[in-house]
Structure formats: structure tokens, C-alpha cells
Amino acid sequence: DITVVVNDDNMTDESRDVNGVYGSRDALPFDVTMAEQPTAEELKQILQKETDFLHYIGHIDEAGFECSDGMVDAKELKQSGVDAFFLNACDSYRQGESLIKAGSVAGVVTTDPVPNKEAAEMGKRLARLLNLGFPLYAALNVASIGQKYNSYTAIGSSSVNIVQPGGGAANICKIKNSFSNKYIISYITYLTGRSL
């Protein structure tokens, strides 16, 4: 199961896109739940409920997750029910670290502020790669190619994947033009740990 939390009206493009991507593979359907503008109490429940993956779109600061009626600080959670997460918000590292300490396995967080346009693009790219079976660290690695901001990092046991890849292992192909109209093709295969 995947939960997408949207706490930012300026990021509706990302929320629409990721909601359409997650679970879209016919052979590997799974439930996707959307939570828009949750209250602080609702977000606490989301963070404590058993779910495979949380994609959070919104605002985070030193006080925690910003909600419609207050803040939620992950440090105050006794237990995280979220196995893995993507906290697509500015400076989300500390909240992600607190989720790991509360029982989450892995996540992607930011170490600095990220402009909305770049955050939305990263969110869309990461969702597509995770849905194809890339492990968390590999999805972040590939999604970061060509991105202007390198504020994203993986924490925890980031070799987990949300779904199994369709062809055995997640990989990318690089094609490089060499001399005399010949091409060099190389494959990069990303190994996974366990599936959620």
C-alpha cells in the first residue's frame, strides 16, 4: 500500500502525476491512498498506520510537518508504521531521521530548501522509477541525473524496493557515441535488498 500526502496547494501537478503513476502496472497493482491537507491528528495517524510507502508533498521546518491546523514532529512518535518514505519538502532530513528511529526502514529526504518546480520534477521522476521496481537508492540516483539541485539524499536501508522490477533487476542503459559512427552501450544494474 502507498499513501500520498499533499499539504501544499502549489504542488498539485506532482500529486496528480504520482497518484496516476503508483500502482499503474497491470501485473503489480496495489492500493494508493490520497490524503489532502490532513490535520495534525490525521497526519499522526497516517504516520503510525502500517503502510509500505509514504510520498509526502508539502512543508517541513524545524518544528516538523506543517498541517492545516498545526505541526507534527516525528520525534514525538513512539512508532512509525511507514516502511519507506519520500519527504518531498524543504529541509526534511531531521523528520526523516526521526521516522527511521521510530521504526521506518528507509527514506529519501532533503538537506536544504528546494524550489517548488525542482521538487515537483524530482517527485514525478522518483515515483516513476519506484513504480518500475528501482530500489530507493537507485531511483534517487537516476532521478537526480541532470537535476540542478542536489539536496536529496537517501537514509536508512535504501536498497529496499516498493515493487519488484518487471525484468529481474532494475537497470539503465547508457549509449555513448564514439569515433567513426560507432556506439558504446553500457548497462548499469541496481541490486535490491528486500521488497516491502
Side-chain angles (χ1 to χ4, degrees), residues 39-160:
T39 64
E41 185 56 38
E42 289 169 340
L43 184 59
K44 277 184 197 172
Q45 291 174 13
I46 289 168
L47 294 172
Q48 292 172 333
K49 181 183 172 191
E50 290 294 322
T51 188
D52 294 322
F53 187 72
L54 169 73
H55 186 129
Y56 178 85
I57 303 165
H59 298 287
I60 291 176
D61 62 27
E62 60 277 354
F65 293 84
E66 185 180 301
C67 298
S68 59
D69 65 345
M71 305 296 287
V72 173
D73 190 346
K75 284 189 293 190
E76 297 172 4
L77 296 176
K78 292 179 181 174
Q79 184 74 31
S80 170
V82 175
D83 288 335
F85 53 84
F86 175 34
L87 304 183
N88 201 6
C90 296
D91 296 308
S92 62
Y93 184 88
R94 287 186 181 157
Q95 291 301 304
E97 189 177 48
S98 294
L99 288 176
I100 296 287
K101 288 178 181 175
S104 293
V105 176
V108 172
V109 294
T110 60
T111 55
D112 296 299
V114 182
N116 282 352
K117 183 178 177 183
E118 283 75 13
E121 182 60 31
M122 179 60 84
K124 293 173 189 179
R125 288 180 177 196
L126 201 71
R128 290 184 193 117
L129 291 161
L130 291 172
N131 196 59
L132 289 171
F134 278 75
L136 209 57
Y137 80 94
L140 176 60
N141 181 280
V142 176
S144 298
I145 295 171
Q147 287 287 85
K148 184 177 177 183
Y149 290 84
N150 291 322
S151 299
Y152 293 89
T153 189
I155 59 174
S157 302
S158 60
S159 62
V160 299

